[in-house]
Amino acid sequence: MADRGEVYLSGAATRVAAFAEACTACGKCFEACPMPAAAGIEAADGGAVMSGLLGLLAGGASDATAAAWTSACCGSGYCRDACPEGIDVRFLQRMGKLALQAETGDPREIKRRSVATYNAMAASARAIGGLLAEPEDLARLGDGRPGADAGPADVTFYTGCNVWKTPHIVLTALDALEAAGVRANVMGGPAMCCGVYAFNQGDGKVSGRQAFGTVEKLKAAGNSQAISWCPSCQIQIGDLALGNWRAETGETPFDLAPFYGFIAERIEALRPHLKPIRPRRVALIERPAIPGAMAAIRTILGAIDGVELVPLSVRPAGVMENTLAVLKDFRDEQRAAILDEASALGVDVLATVYHACHRELCRYDDGRPFEILNVMSLLAEALGKPREDRYKALKALGSVDAVIDAVAPDAARRGLDLEQLRSALSADMFAAVPLATPPR
């Protein structure tokens, strides 16, 4: 293949042109979006705003209202569901973010941020994962190649990068696949980035190189079915990269399905392995970005004796909690509304559904009448394989210095450099702004 980044962008341009031709500027995507009010543009005409986005993507100057809408996109995906023409409006918004940064940014600064944020992510994933996971468990996850358990497999399980920081989550996912009788080759880690960090900084070409490189590795694994843990990876690889690959080559090298949906389809195989757990009322911090994922989670938890699901009325938003950082006031209002309603409803558990949500929110149960767990912790308990949430325990210490003091002997035993670990903790566990956040 020629330069992967150029081929990726060429495929994207083909798709943009096709969607632009199909768009009738009806404005239903804008009406369905949760972000216009938060961005202060709720009174705008949705059709005109969509026309402004298409104009930007066609190489024109940005329209202020359309630019505000695109900048505020947190990836919820309501726009896709609302479009009567079947247009992937979220894809257009993603490409609009690239166009906005190309219009206003310094290419050298974009490149610098692209490299810096990826390197910080890779270093933090390896350092925090190396601290919290046992070496033999980390070896199972692979880093750019199938993990230590590789062999004949039914599927390829693409973990992404950052779930390494919460090993209790990803290792329980492996336990669930095994219990359901699914043989999986596990691939992921920083060497198989989906390209989201470069993309969010405006570096479409490097993002494309990373994403197509990962597609090639997943294709080489030889399974027609792959599953993804991370919803951001599902979008960057499943929607953007595979769509762009198909536009350029005419082929789809494999199908990429979300983990929760894959497991829910096999719930009858999993059910005999699920034991009753201590009864608890559980509310979910839902995310709407991946079609069917929340229904799949309800199916999985519904199979666990002891879980009573309690619905929340707050309209879900975002791919994960970190994607809401594009509008911090909106994020904070959403967060407060969820926490307050969970308290008022008297739930025992407020459950995060993804790893980044858990990293951002796991300590917000301090002083509240419930505990915050990840969905996978409830599943681990039902499987009889509970795993300690060491990330939450360390975050509870409150500062980088306190964590370093607590883990220094263990870090030395694992051969981790304390200064590198300190940098990783500063960039992740105690960061004011999530690493993947686009510049404003």
Short mmCIF file of all heavy atoms in Angstrom, two decimals, residues 14 20 36 38 61 72 107 140 146 155 157 163 174 188 222 224 239 244 246 301 307 313 328 330 372 377 394 430 435:
data_model
loop_
_atom_site.label_atom_id
_atom_site.label_comp_id
_atom_site.label_asym_id
_atom_site.label_seq_id
_atom_site.Cartn_x
_atom_site.Cartn_y
_atom_site.Cartn_z
N THR A 14 -13.56 10.36 -0.35
CA THR A 14 -14.58 9.70 -1.16
C THR A 14 -15.89 9.56 -0.40
O THR A 14 -16.98 9.82 -0.93
CB THR A 14 -14.09 8.30 -1.60
OG1 THR A 14 -12.91 8.45 -2.40
CG2 THR A 14 -15.15 7.56 -2.39
N ALA A 20 -22.14 14.01 1.30
CA ALA A 20 -22.55 15.38 0.97
C ALA A 20 -23.60 15.38 -0.13
O ALA A 20 -24.57 16.16 -0.09
CB ALA A 20 -21.33 16.20 0.56
N PRO A 36 -25.97 21.35 21.12
CA PRO A 36 -26.19 22.74 20.72
C PRO A 36 -26.48 23.69 21.87
O PRO A 36 -25.94 24.81 21.92
CB PRO A 36 -27.36 22.66 19.74
CG PRO A 36 -27.18 21.33 19.10
CD PRO A 36 -26.71 20.43 20.22
N ALA A 38 -25.58 23.42 24.99
CA ALA A 38 -24.35 23.60 25.76
C ALA A 38 -23.36 24.50 25.03
O ALA A 38 -22.58 25.22 25.66
CB ALA A 38 -23.72 22.24 26.04
N ALA A 61 -14.38 28.23 3.76
CA ALA A 61 -14.09 28.79 5.08
C ALA A 61 -15.15 28.32 6.07
O ALA A 61 -16.30 28.07 5.71
CB ALA A 61 -14.07 30.32 5.00
N ALA A 72 -17.95 21.08 19.42
CA ALA A 72 -18.63 20.56 20.61
C ALA A 72 -18.99 19.09 20.50
O ALA A 72 -19.46 18.49 21.48
CB ALA A 72 -19.89 21.37 20.88
N PRO A 107 0.72 23.82 11.31
CA PRO A 107 1.03 22.41 11.05
C PRO A 107 2.12 21.85 11.95
O PRO A 107 2.06 20.69 12.37
CB PRO A 107 1.47 22.42 9.58
CG PRO A 107 0.77 23.60 8.98
CD PRO A 107 0.73 24.63 10.08
N ARG A 140 -0.49 -11.67 28.39
CA ARG A 140 -1.66 -12.20 27.69
C ARG A 140 -2.27 -11.16 26.75
O ARG A 140 -2.95 -11.52 25.78
CB ARG A 140 -2.74 -12.62 28.69
CG ARG A 140 -2.36 -13.77 29.60
CD ARG A 140 -3.47 -14.04 30.60
NE ARG A 140 -4.70 -14.51 29.95
CZ ARG A 140 -5.88 -14.59 30.56
NH1 ARG A 140 -6.00 -14.20 31.82
NH2 ARG A 140 -6.93 -15.03 29.91
N PRO A 146 -0.27 -10.99 18.72
CA PRO A 146 -1.10 -11.80 19.61
C PRO A 146 -0.42 -12.06 20.94
O PRO A 146 0.80 -12.22 21.01
CB PRO A 146 -1.30 -13.10 18.81
CG PRO A 146 -1.19 -12.68 17.38
CD PRO A 146 -0.13 -11.59 17.39
N VAL A 155 -11.99 -15.73 17.26
CA VAL A 155 -12.05 -14.29 17.03
C VAL A 155 -10.72 -13.67 17.42
O VAL A 155 -9.91 -14.27 18.14
CB VAL A 155 -13.17 -13.61 17.87
CG1 VAL A 155 -14.54 -14.17 17.52
CG2 VAL A 155 -12.90 -13.74 19.36
N PHE A 157 -9.53 -10.51 19.64
CA PHE A 157 -10.02 -9.55 20.62
C PHE A 157 -9.06 -8.37 20.64
O PHE A 157 -7.93 -8.49 21.12
CB PHE A 157 -10.14 -10.19 21.99
CG PHE A 157 -10.64 -9.26 23.08
CD1 PHE A 157 -11.51 -8.22 22.80
CD2 PHE A 157 -10.25 -9.44 24.40
CE1 PHE A 157 -11.98 -7.38 23.78
CE2 PHE A 157 -10.72 -8.60 25.41
CZ PHE A 157 -11.58 -7.57 25.09
N VAL A 163 -7.09 0.48 28.22
CA VAL A 163 -7.69 -0.45 29.18
C VAL A 163 -6.61 -1.19 29.96
O VAL A 163 -6.88 -1.77 31.02
CB VAL A 163 -8.66 -1.42 28.47
CG1 VAL A 163 -7.90 -2.47 27.67
CG2 VAL A 163 -9.62 -2.07 29.47
N LEU A 174 -11.55 -11.17 29.29
CA LEU A 174 -10.99 -12.44 28.85
C LEU A 174 -11.64 -13.61 29.57
O LEU A 174 -11.93 -14.65 28.96
CB LEU A 174 -9.48 -12.46 29.08
CG LEU A 174 -8.63 -11.41 28.36
CD1 LEU A 174 -7.14 -11.67 28.61
CD2 LEU A 174 -8.92 -11.41 26.88
N GLY A 188 -3.51 -5.74 20.99
CA GLY A 188 -3.77 -4.36 21.39
C GLY A 188 -2.51 -3.71 21.91
O GLY A 188 -1.40 -4.06 21.52
N GLY A 222 -5.80 -13.28 10.84
CA GLY A 222 -6.44 -14.35 10.09
C GLY A 222 -7.86 -14.69 10.47
O GLY A 222 -8.42 -15.66 9.95
N SER A 224 -11.88 -13.68 10.49
CA SER A 224 -12.83 -12.79 9.82
C SER A 224 -13.63 -11.97 10.82
O SER A 224 -14.22 -10.95 10.45
CB SER A 224 -13.78 -13.59 8.94
OG SER A 224 -14.54 -14.51 9.72
N ASP A 239 -15.58 2.31 12.27
CA ASP A 239 -16.33 3.26 11.45
C ASP A 239 -15.42 4.01 10.48
O ASP A 239 -15.68 4.04 9.27
CB ASP A 239 -17.07 4.27 12.33
CG ASP A 239 -18.17 3.64 13.16
OD1 ASP A 239 -18.49 2.45 12.93
OD2 ASP A 239 -18.71 4.32 14.04
N ASN A 244 -12.95 3.82 5.41
CA ASN A 244 -12.00 4.43 4.46
C ASN A 244 -11.26 3.36 3.65
O ASN A 244 -11.00 3.53 2.46
CB ASN A 244 -11.00 5.31 5.20
CG ASN A 244 -11.66 6.49 5.90
OD1 ASN A 244 -12.84 6.78 5.67
ND2 ASN A 244 -10.92 7.17 6.75
N ARG A 246 -12.44 0.41 2.89
CA ARG A 246 -13.40 -0.13 1.92
C ARG A 246 -13.58 0.83 0.74
O ARG A 246 -13.69 0.39 -0.41
CB ARG A 246 -14.73 -0.38 2.63
CG ARG A 246 -15.79 -1.07 1.80
CD ARG A 246 -16.89 -1.64 2.67
NE ARG A 246 -17.39 -0.68 3.64
CZ ARG A 246 -17.20 -0.76 4.97
NH1 ARG A 246 -16.52 -1.77 5.49
NH2 ARG A 246 -17.69 0.16 5.78
N LEU A 301 -26.15 -8.04 32.57
CA LEU A 301 -26.42 -7.86 33.99
C LEU A 301 -27.74 -8.51 34.38
O LEU A 301 -27.92 -8.98 35.52
CB LEU A 301 -26.43 -6.38 34.35
CG LEU A 301 -25.09 -5.65 34.24
CD1 LEU A 301 -25.23 -4.19 34.66
CD2 LEU A 301 -24.01 -6.34 35.07
N VAL A 307 -28.65 -8.72 40.76
CA VAL A 307 -28.58 -7.38 40.18
C VAL A 307 -29.99 -6.89 39.85
O VAL A 307 -30.72 -7.54 39.10
CB VAL A 307 -27.72 -7.35 38.91
CG1 VAL A 307 -27.83 -6.00 38.21
CG2 VAL A 307 -26.26 -7.65 39.25
N SER A 313 -32.69 9.00 34.59
CA SER A 313 -33.43 9.82 33.62
C SER A 313 -32.51 10.77 32.83
O SER A 313 -32.94 11.36 31.84
CB SER A 313 -34.50 10.65 34.34
OG SER A 313 -33.91 11.56 35.25
N LYS A 328 -16.56 21.52 29.15
CA LYS A 328 -16.42 21.09 30.54
C LYS A 328 -17.64 21.44 31.38
O LYS A 328 -18.00 20.68 32.30
CB LYS A 328 -15.15 21.70 31.15
CG LYS A 328 -13.87 21.21 30.48
CD LYS A 328 -12.64 21.80 31.15
CE LYS A 328 -11.36 21.34 30.48
NZ LYS A 328 -11.28 21.76 29.08
N PHE A 330 -20.77 21.45 30.43
CA PHE A 330 -21.74 20.41 30.12
C PHE A 330 -21.38 19.11 30.83
O PHE A 330 -22.24 18.45 31.42
CB PHE A 330 -21.81 20.19 28.61
CG PHE A 330 -22.70 19.05 28.19
CD1 PHE A 330 -24.07 19.22 28.09
CD2 PHE A 330 -22.16 17.80 27.88
CE1 PHE A 330 -24.90 18.17 27.71
CE2 PHE A 330 -22.98 16.74 27.49
CZ PHE A 330 -24.34 16.94 27.41
N ILE A 372 -19.00 3.18 43.33
CA ILE A 372 -18.84 3.19 41.89
C ILE A 372 -17.96 2.01 41.50
O ILE A 372 -16.83 1.88 41.96
CB ILE A 372 -18.23 4.52 41.40
CG1 ILE A 372 -19.23 5.66 41.63
CG2 ILE A 372 -17.86 4.43 39.92
CD1 ILE A 372 -18.73 7.03 41.20
N SER A 377 -16.73 -5.52 37.02
CA SER A 377 -16.53 -6.00 38.39
C SER A 377 -17.72 -6.82 38.86
O SER A 377 -17.57 -7.81 39.59
CB SER A 377 -16.29 -4.82 39.33
OG SER A 377 -15.03 -4.24 39.09
N LEU A 394 -5.50 3.30 44.24
CA LEU A 394 -4.39 4.25 44.19
C LEU A 394 -4.89 5.67 43.98
O LEU A 394 -4.37 6.61 44.59
CB LEU A 394 -3.43 3.86 43.07
CG LEU A 394 -2.63 2.56 43.29
CD1 LEU A 394 -1.69 2.33 42.13
CD2 LEU A 394 -1.85 2.60 44.61
N PHE A 430 -3.99 11.75 37.63
CA PHE A 430 -4.21 13.04 38.28
C PHE A 430 -4.14 14.20 37.29
O PHE A 430 -3.83 15.34 37.66
CB PHE A 430 -3.20 13.23 39.42
CG PHE A 430 -3.33 12.18 40.49
CD1 PHE A 430 -2.45 11.11 40.56
CD2 PHE A 430 -4.38 12.23 41.40
CE1 PHE A 430 -2.58 10.13 41.53
CE2 PHE A 430 -4.52 11.26 42.38
CZ PHE A 430 -3.62 10.20 42.45
N LEU A 435 -5.94 13.13 28.26
CA LEU A 435 -4.95 13.23 27.19
C LEU A 435 -5.56 13.34 25.81
O LEU A 435 -5.03 14.03 24.94
CB LEU A 435 -4.04 11.98 27.23
CG LEU A 435 -2.79 12.05 28.09
CD1 LEU A 435 -2.10 10.70 28.10
CD2 LEU A 435 -1.84 13.12 27.57
#
